[in-house]
Every structure is written in structure tokens, then in C-alpha cells.
Amino acid sequence: MRTNRRFVLAAGLLALAGGAGVLAQKQPRVIKVVARRFTYTPNEIALKKGEPVTFELTTEDITMGFNVPDFGVRADIIPGKTTRLDLTPDKAGTFTFLCDIFCGDGHEGMSGHLVVT
Ligand SMILES: [Cu+2]
């Protein structure tokens, strides 16, 4: 019984600490992006300067890349997996993201835009 109560107390404290963590630290906004030959959906994504986001990247066919050269971040998108990529844009403007893993004849045109305001 005593052990049980202690466990409940510990679990309660953990939940409290977790809640405080969420409050103290702004959770990144999650943006899902689906890649397939030779497009991204969505292919235009609105972001706010200074707002942290996490891209959740998936592919519907083969391995693709997701590269945002202006922000120096990239990731592989592997079939059957969700790839998470964090970005906090520190400048406003329109920036290209593109596939940097050759995926077939339309690869060169596989791109989209981040519009940061
Ligand atoms: Cu490609």
C-alpha cells in the first residue's frame, strides 16, 4: 500500500513537471509535408519569423530529400517513416525548399516555397 501511494505521488509530480515544461517552452507548430514524385503537398508554406516549427515529412513512394538551403537545414524522407525537421526562421522572405535526392525525371522541378512574414 505504502509503495503504491509513493508511486502515485511520484507520477503526479512527474505530470506536474511535464506540464510546467510545456508552459515554459513554446511547443513548435507541427507542419505535415507529404512528398511524392515530383511534388510536395503543400508546396507553399506560410511561416512566421521567430516561430519554431517542426516539419513532419513523409513520402508516398521513394526516398526523397527536403532541403532548405537558405536556412542550412535538410533531411532524408524515408518510405514508411516520419522524419522530423525543426526550423525557426530568423529572416523574412520567400525561400525555396527542394528535393536533393535524385528521384526520377521530374526531380529537378521538385520544389516549393516557404513564405516567412
Ligand atoms: Cu528528387
Side-chain angles (χ1 to χ4, degrees):
M1 263 316 173
R2 207 176 156 74
T3 316
N4 219 356
R5 274 185 60 182
R6 201 175 287 168
F7 173 77
V8 169
L9 183 65
L13 282 175
L14 268 177
L16 262 179
V22 168
L23 284 179
Q25 198 186 336
K26 204 175 156 199
Q27 289 294 100
R29 180 161 61 99
V30 172
I31 299 171
K32 294 180 195 300
V33 180
V34 179
R36 86 177 70 83
R37 294 189 187 93
F38 300 96
T39 58
Y40 295 98
T41 307
N43 70 355
E44 188 163 308
I45 301 169
L47 302 177
K48 293 217 157 26
K49 185 180 162 186
E51 182 197 27
V53 297
T54 299
F55 294 106
E56 287 189 353
L57 308 164
T58 54
T59 171
E60 290 193 343
D61 36 47
I62 61 169
T63 298
M64 303 287 187
F66 183 87
N67 189 329
V68 196
D70 290 293
F71 292 102
V73 294
R74 72 160 310 281
D76 294 338
I77 317 176
I78 315 283
K81 245 187 90 175
T82 298
T83 300
R84 289 184 178 77
L85 180 69
D86 296 324
L87 175 67
T88 304
D90 58 359
K91 54 194 169 195
T94 299
F95 308 99
T96 300
F97 61 84
L98 52 95
C99 178
D100 60 359
I101 294 177
F102 184 76
C103 55
D105 280 344
H107 165 76
E108 298 301 328
M110 186 169 168
S111 65
H113 292 101
L114 303 181
V115 181
V116 185
T117 54

